[in-house]
Amino acid sequence: MMSAAQKSKLYEQVAERICDAITAGTLRAGDRLPSVRQLSTQERVSISTVLQAYVHLESLGLVETRPQSGHYVRRRERPRPAEPQVSRPATTANPVSVSALVARVYRAASDRRVVQLGASVPAPELLPTQRLGRELALLSREASDLAVEYDMPPGCLELRRQIARRSLEWGCALGPDDFITTCGASEAVYLSLRAVAKTGDTIAIESPAYYGTLQAIESLGLRALEIPSHPRHGMELEALEAALDKRRVAAVLSVPSFSNPLGSCMPEEHRRRLVALLTERDIPLIEDDIYGDLYFGPERPRTCKAFDKEGLVLLCGSFSKTLAPGYRVGWVAPGRYRERVELLKFAQTVATPTLPQLAIARFLQSGGYDRHLRTLRRHLSAQLERTTEAIAEHFPEGTCVTRPTGSSLLWVELPTTVDALKLHERALEAGISIAPGPIFSAQPQRYSHFIRMSCSQPWSPRIEAAVATLGSLARNLLT
Amino acid sequence: MMSAAQKSKLYEQVAERICDAITAGTLRAGDRLPSVRQLSTQERVSISTVLQAYVHLESLGLVETRPQSGHYVRRRERPRPAEPQVSRPATTANPVSVSALVARVYRAASDRRVVQLGASVPAPELLPTQRLGRELALLSREASDLAVEYDMPPGCLELRRQIARRSLEWGCALGPDDFITTCGASEAVYLSLRAVAKTGDTIAIESPAYYGTLQAIESLGLRALEIPSHPRHGMELEALEAALDKRRVAAVLSVPSFSNPLGSCMPEEHRRRLVALLTERDIPLIEDDIYGDLYFGPERPRTCKAFDKEGLVLLCGSFSKTLAPGYRVGWVAPGRYRERVELLKFAQTVATPTLPQLAIARFLQSGGYDRHLRTLRRHLSAQLERTTEAIAEHFPEGTCVTRPTGSSLLWVELPTTVDALKLHERALEAGISIAPGPIFSAQPQRYSHFIRMSCSQPWSPRIEAAVATLGSLARNLLT
């Protein structure tokens, strides 16, 4: 399997061009690929490089070898499952209590004996760990004094410069001073919630919503108002508007790009409208953009922040899904709430750890992040595809699955009689971790026949077997 | 100046023995030290080693050289200033608002042109940065995969083992599972507050109290009830008891060992009584032990937690004052609130950064922490002493100064007509950072003629000049 940590190799470049042709539709399922000899001449590389490229494409599940015949673009064996419907959560604002269940899921994430289809954590082999390690080794020699010192809010200037540079691609053109670095996006979202809301306030969120966000809302004594959400387009703006007309909402918290668990991506026109309708009402938007770099399409989705003229959008992000979860380096661009967020940050953790910030700043400086992202996206896209196929093959009839255009999560709707909590229990007993639907809502009975499957590990026979096991466990729960 | 990062050298060992003799009173101010030749024979070291030891002791301000005569234990030039009185805060519980002033203080801390007598941050040259750098370099080679992974709460097991091992010295004998690692002690205290109190609740604290704690209380919408505190013995238990009889208090938050800014150390008998009286009333105690390892006496003070039989004490600590502020590695032993603190931790920052935890765990494993602490304490003690002497020489008559038996902070009471906020302003203009008294209280007019001076930098002519400048600025403010 290709290591994203290494400098791009020749065979990877060859594989990448074939990938692109498949994505673009130039090559389609069942098409025969050029012979090894042809490709070798065409690409001016050795036979063995072409063979490596094909092995790599096979491991990604994009290509299959037919003995005595050659290489073909892999055909999906079954029709793609249908998508789930738009969610229809209750229209009441609810205090949240999902903590105990969530604890079981994240604890399972640290158990190496368990097949990880639960937590949304990228596998280390997909991350540039060696290059990060090298930056660290350099820092440990050159900057061990600096590393022990506090890096007071707003945090590491060089890192903020690098993030600001990247913000051009988000349609924002923010400056280093617009950012405050944080311990991951979770702290960014948490500080944002605290900056704009006080105990008892209501926060409008997508439904289903990330359990970490629900926990943050819970632990701050806020209420979650779940807004119906479309499996492809995210939060439904008409429903949001109707809700805002009915009650006071302190803030809207949304994950417009590849929402967790839906995988939905809000169309740009919706983003513009969302910002406009909140600006009209002077309601802040907490935009969690943690998955924004993991798009499979030709372009990165622009953030809602790109349409924000009033400083009402608090944009949160991190490197946890793309570089190094364990480094806990994130950021917030809090717009007009900057001063308040900075003071809260100081009161909460004083400073973000210095060293991981320096390491990431150097990594970004030295280039290669975009190339790493391209590779990572290719892997994630292939992993989602393979998992979807395996679900189509093994899960009970009537199972619906989302079709995300980015990130690595599938939201799976099982036949209504399958109890997701029971499935979660039995899966854990079988050494497989999934995230049961009910943890994605503040409403206790909601999503009781849904599960979220994370496709963040490289596809392997072990994972294939786990999906098959899940399917048969689900079948056994049909009544 | 001796680097704490290096393995103990011969001259340091010689210096240490002389230090001990001075501390024990065997050698007193004005006593002549053995001649270089005598000491060389006695200690079986070279002449140059003895000379190095004497230079080192001079730099610590413990020894002076008289030309043609030899080395003497330095005599203090002026009598020690008097101590401040027991604090007498108002008996009301107050919402807190010190944030803006605090921001000025901590921002000044990052400015290298400013003489740092403000923030309580140990100078890197007093920390084992090289050894930590080596651990990091090793980790960057051996554990770069591990480092990028989430380290889910309760956090790094090896680190918790090492902390648990140290807890014997605190009189606790805690196990690894009693701890949750955090982003510094500030997150530990913050999570503890959230675990035991809800908006509007009252927290009893020392007066004066650390501004970070006041900010945490402020940002959680809690109220601070300031309890009179003795400059040497800390929180006055009679006053606390009277306050508890009068109103509902959700928790007591105390820094029994070397309270910030008072430097007070609660006698063991008081600690026992404090825990007993809170246990009787079922009120949790948040014990901030961040300075516990920085005692100058023969023994580490036992924590209040040592007397806790009911799990009512949430013990917080960190390595920020002893090893690496910028690593942001702390812990909490939350007693009966363990489950709740762990869930809050997950919701707030998901995980503590992996890498700094691993580096500190390895540092502790490999030994030498206690030796480093001994050296650090000797430096801090000498720095406090020198600063006190300089205050006696340069500050207006009537100035009172605390006499801490640990840590590195002086609480300075100026004549009542000197406005600490004005002094703070003028000092900053002169390139000197101090912490003005009012930020240490939720009561706006309180401590208006007090300042806190941090003696965490090695003594130097630059610092001596700064203390002299402060003195004359203070004189100019006398009315």
Side-chain angles (χ1 to χ4, degrees):
Chain A
M1 139 130 276
M2 168 162 87
S3 160
Q6 289 148 22
K7 202 148 177 278
S8 167
K9 302 206 183 78
L10 215 48
Y11 80 85
E12 289 180 342
Q13 294 171 17
V14 174
E16 196 168 337
R17 279 189 284 277
I18 293 176
C19 259
D20 290 347
I22 296 172
T23 311
T26 322
L27 285 168
R28 300 212 216 196
D31 281 359
R32 191 170 191 277
L33 293 170
S35 76
V36 172
R37 192 164 305 274
Q38 277 174 327
L39 199 59
S40 154
T41 314
Q42 186 183 315
E43 295 274 345
R44 297 175 194 203
V45 296
S46 71
I47 297 282
S48 87
T49 298
V50 173
L51 283 172
Q52 270 185 298
Y54 278 168
V55 167
H56 175 56
L57 288 165
E58 261 191 296
S59 81
L60 287 177
L62 295 170
V63 161
E64 58 189 354
T65 314
R66 299 193 196 147
Q68 319 291 325
S69 167
H71 295 88
Y72 293 80
V73 179
R74 207 164 67 88
R75 215 190 273 282
R76 42 170 60 255
E77 286 163 23
R78 310 214 165 220
R80 210 182 249 286
E83 289 174 281
Q85 302 291 306
V86 173
S87 67
R88 291 284 163 239
T91 57
T92 49
N94 292 275
V96 184
S97 189
V98 295
S99 291
L101 255 174
V102 166
R104 297 207 53 180
V105 173
Y106 80 73
R107 278 173 198 151
S110 327
D111 188 339
R112 295 192 184 269
R113 292 160 307 178
V114 168
V115 182
Q116 298 298 337
L117 301 168
S120 164
V121 182
E125 55 266 50
L126 299 178
L127 302 174
T129 55
Q130 289 177 17
R131 270 201 54 207
L132 280 167
R134 275 203 297 278
E135 297 298 346
L136 272 174
L138 284 173
L139 283 170
S140 65
R141 279 197 294 277
E142 298 164 15
S144 55
D145 269 29
L146 195 59
V148 300
E149 289 188 50
Y150 282 125
D151 176 39
M152 292 298 184
C156 176
L157 177 59
E158 187 49 42
L159 179 62
R160 288 184 288 118
R161 276 201 191 111
Q162 293 294 330
I163 301 170
R165 219 171 48 79
R166 298 196 65 79
S167 75
L168 288 172
E169 211 198 335
W170 320 335
C172 287
L174 298 167
D177 291 342
D178 294 318
F179 291 93
I180 295 167
T181 65
T182 58
C183 296
S186 51
E187 194 188 39
V189 168
Y190 190 84
L191 292 171
S192 299
L193 281 169
R194 289 181 58 202
V196 301
K198 56 180 196 313
T199 308
D201 277 356
T202 295
I203 309 294
I205 56 173
E206 281 131 9
S207 183
Y210 170 49
Y211 53 78
T213 299
L214 291 172
Q215 279 195 307
I217 289 175
E218 172 184 13
S219 74
L220 289 169
L222 304 170
R223 290 171 161 269
L225 175 62
E226 298 182 35
I227 305 297
S229 299
H230 186 281
R232 251 186 266 170
H233 302 146
M235 195 179 273
E236 300 235 298
L237 298 188
E238 295 69 24
L240 174 64
E241 216 165 348
L244 298 181
D245 286 342
K246 276 226 301 259
R247 73 174 69 236
R248 208 191 79 80
V249 161
V252 174
L253 195 164
S254 169
V255 190
S257 296
F258 321 118
S259 181
N260 178 354
L262 273 184
S264 55
C265 186
M266 191 181 270
E268 185 161 314
E269 190 37 43
H270 288 209
R271 295 179 190 226
R272 194 188 302 272
R273 269 174 57 208
L274 173 60
V275 173
L277 81 86
L278 294 183
T279 303
E280 226 168 71
R281 290 170 163 83
D282 205 41
I283 296 174
L285 171 65
I286 302 171
E287 178 177 21
D288 182 354
D289 191 44
I290 188 167
Y291 297 108
D293 279 338
L294 299 179
Y295 57 97
F296 303 151
E299 273 190 339
R300 192 192 197 286
R302 288 212 269 178
T303 56
C304 293
K305 181 89 182 166
F307 308 106
D308 174 31
K309 292 189 179 66
E310 307 289 332
L312 263 180
V313 177
L314 302 96
L315 178 66
C316 305
S318 89
F319 297 100
S320 298
K321 305 301 180 191
T322 54
L323 273 184
Y327 279 33
R328 314 299 308 115
V329 175
W331 65 82
V332 52
R336 67 163 79 151
Y337 305 95
R338 194 184 175 295
E339 184 76 13
R340 184 155 166 69
V341 169
E342 187 176 322
L343 293 173
L344 289 168
K345 164 71 189 170
F346 179 79
Q348 189 167 300
T349 49
V350 180
T352 305
T354 310
L355 195 71
Q357 290 187 83
L358 289 172
I360 291 183
R362 296 243 189 147
F363 180 93
L364 296 176
Q365 251 179 323
S366 65
Y369 183 50
D370 285 309
R371 145 151 299 283
H372 157 65
L373 285 177
R374 276 199 298 280
T375 311
L376 178 61
R377 289 194 292 259
R378 206 156 65 234
H379 280 274
L380 296 181
S381 164
Q383 286 159 205
L384 274 178
E385 185 67 20
R386 295 300 292 263
T387 312
T388 304
E389 283 179 34
I391 290 171
E393 189 175 337
H394 297 292
F395 274 45
E397 206 171 328
T399 297
C400 298
V401 184
T402 49
R403 296 172 190 180
T405 55
S407 184
S408 62
L409 301 171
L410 291 176
W411 183 236
V412 181
E413 181 176 12
L414 296 155
T416 47
T417 57
V418 177
D419 180 335
L421 292 176
K422 277 193 197 146
L423 181 57
H424 167 245
E425 284 302 317
R426 297 200 184 163
L428 259 189
E429 285 162 18
I432 304 163
S433 160
I434 54 171
I439 68 176
F440 297 95
S441 173
Q443 301 163 18
Q445 298 307 315
R446 193 63 51 178
Y447 306 121
S448 61
H449 61 292
F450 286 79
I451 60 171
R452 186 194 74 180
M453 288 170 66
S454 167
C455 312
S456 40
Q457 308 290 315
W459 187 253
S460 69
R462 185 174 181 237
I463 290 180
E464 186 150 25
V467 177
T469 303
L470 276 178
S472 72
L473 291 174
R475 269 173 220 285
N476 291 341
L477 286 170
L478 281 170
T479 47
Chain B
M1 140 126 276
M2 165 163 90
S3 160
Q6 289 147 23
K7 199 148 179 280
S8 165
K9 301 202 185 84
L10 215 49
Y11 80 85
E12 289 179 343
Q13 295 171 17
V14 174
E16 195 168 337
R17 278 190 284 275
I18 292 175
C19 260
D20 291 346
I22 295 172
T23 311
T26 321
L27 285 168
R28 299 206 214 202
D31 281 358
R32 190 169 191 276
L33 293 170
S35 75
V36 172
R37 192 164 304 274
Q38 277 175 326
L39 198 56
S40 153
T41 314
Q42 184 182 320
E43 294 276 342
R44 299 177 193 200
V45 297
S46 71
I47 298 282
S48 87
T49 299
V50 172
L51 284 172
Q52 270 183 297
Y54 278 166
V55 167
H56 175 57
L57 288 165
E58 259 190 296
S59 80
L60 288 176
L62 295 171
V63 161
E64 60 190 353
T65 312
R66 299 190 196 148
Q68 321 291 325
S69 167
H71 295 88
Y72 292 81
V73 179
R74 208 163 67 87
R75 216 188 274 280
R76 40 170 61 255
E77 286 163 23
R78 309 214 166 222
R80 209 182 251 286
E83 289 173 282
Q85 301 292 304
V86 173
S87 66
R88 291 283 163 242
T91 57
T92 50
N94 291 275
V96 183
S97 189
V98 295
S99 290
L101 255 174
V102 166
R104 298 206 53 178
V105 173
Y106 80 73
R107 277 172 198 150
S110 330
D111 188 339
R112 295 193 183 268
R113 292 161 306 178
V114 169
V115 181
Q116 297 298 338
L117 300 169
S120 164
V121 182
E125 54 266 51
L126 298 179
L127 301 174
T129 56
Q130 290 177 17
R131 269 200 55 206
L132 280 167
R134 275 202 298 279
E135 297 298 345
L136 273 175
L138 284 174
L139 282 170
S140 65
R141 280 196 295 276
E142 298 163 15
S144 55
D145 270 29
L146 195 60
V148 301
E149 290 188 51
Y150 282 125
D151 176 39
M152 293 298 184
C156 177
L157 177 60
E158 188 48 43
L159 179 62
R160 287 184 288 119
R161 277 204 191 110
Q162 293 294 329
I163 301 170
R165 218 172 47 80
R166 298 197 65 79
S167 75
L168 287 173
E169 211 196 337
W170 320 335
C172 287
L174 298 166
D177 291 342
D178 293 319
F179 291 93
I180 296 168
T181 66
T182 58
C183 296
S186 51
E187 194 187 40
V189 168
Y190 190 83
L191 293 171
S192 298
L193 281 169
R194 289 181 59 203
V196 301
K198 55 180 196 313
T199 309
D201 277 356
T202 296
I203 309 294
I205 57 172
E206 280 129 11
S207 182
Y210 170 49
Y211 53 81
T213 299
L214 291 172
Q215 278 194 308
I217 289 174
E218 170 183 16
S219 73
L220 289 170
L222 303 170
R223 290 170 162 270
L225 176 62
E226 299 181 33
I227 306 296
S229 299
H230 186 280
R232 251 186 266 170
H233 302 146
M235 194 178 276
E236 299 235 299
L237 298 188
E238 295 69 25
L240 174 65
E241 214 163 350
L244 297 181
D245 286 341
K246 275 227 298 262
R247 74 174 69 236
R248 207 190 80 80
V249 161
V252 174
L253 195 165
S254 168
V255 190
S257 295
F258 321 118
S259 182
N260 177 354
L262 272 185
S264 54
C265 187
M266 191 182 269
E268 184 162 314
E269 191 37 42
H270 289 209
R271 295 179 190 227
R272 195 188 301 271
R273 268 174 57 208
L274 173 60
V275 172
L277 80 87
L278 294 183
T279 303
E280 224 168 73
R281 289 169 164 82
D282 205 41
I283 296 173
L285 171 65
I286 301 172
E287 178 177 21
D288 182 353
D289 191 44
I290 188 167
Y291 297 107
D293 279 339
L294 299 178
Y295 58 96
F296 303 150
E299 273 190 341
R300 191 193 198 285
R302 285 211 272 179
T303 55
C304 293
K305 181 89 180 166
F307 308 106
D308 174 30
K309 291 188 180 67
E310 307 290 331
L312 264 179
V313 176
L314 301 97
L315 178 66
C316 305
S318 89
F319 296 100
S320 298
K321 305 302 180 191
T322 54
L323 273 184
Y327 280 34
R328 314 298 309 117
V329 175
W331 65 83
V332 51
R336 66 163 81 150
Y337 304 95
R338 195 184 174 295
E339 184 76 14
R340 185 156 165 70
V341 169
E342 187 176 324
L343 293 172
L344 289 167
K345 165 71 189 170
F346 180 78
Q348 189 167 301
T349 49
V350 181
T352 304
T354 310
L355 195 69
Q357 289 187 81
L358 288 173
I360 290 183
R362 295 240 191 151
F363 181 93
L364 296 177
Q365 249 178 327
S366 65
Y369 183 51
D370 285 308
R371 146 152 296 285
H372 157 64
L373 285 177
R374 275 198 299 279
T375 311
L376 178 61
R377 289 193 293 257
R378 206 158 62 233
H379 279 275
L380 296 182
S381 163
Q383 286 159 206
L384 273 178
E385 184 68 22
R386 295 301 290 263
T387 312
T388 304
E389 282 179 34
I391 290 171
E393 189 173 340
H394 298 291
F395 273 46
E397 205 169 328
T399 298
C400 297
V401 184
T402 49
R403 296 172 189 179
T405 54
S407 184
S408 62
L409 302 170
L410 291 176
W411 182 236
V412 181
E413 180 175 13
L414 297 155
T416 48
T417 57
V418 177
D419 181 337
L421 291 177
K422 279 194 195 145
L423 180 58
H424 167 245
E425 285 303 316
R426 299 200 182 164
L428 259 189
E429 286 163 17
I432 303 163
S433 161
I434 54 170
I439 67 176
F440 296 95
S441 174
Q443 301 163 18
Q445 298 307 315
R446 192 62 52 178
Y447 306 121
S448 60
H449 60 291
F450 285 80
I451 60 171
R452 188 194 72 180
M453 289 170 67
S454 166
C455 312
S456 41
Q457 309 289 315
W459 187 252
S460 68
R462 185 173 180 238
I463 290 180
E464 185 149 26
V467 177
T469 305
L470 275 179
S472 73
L473 291 174
R475 267 172 221 287
N476 291 341
L477 287 170
L478 281 171
T479 47

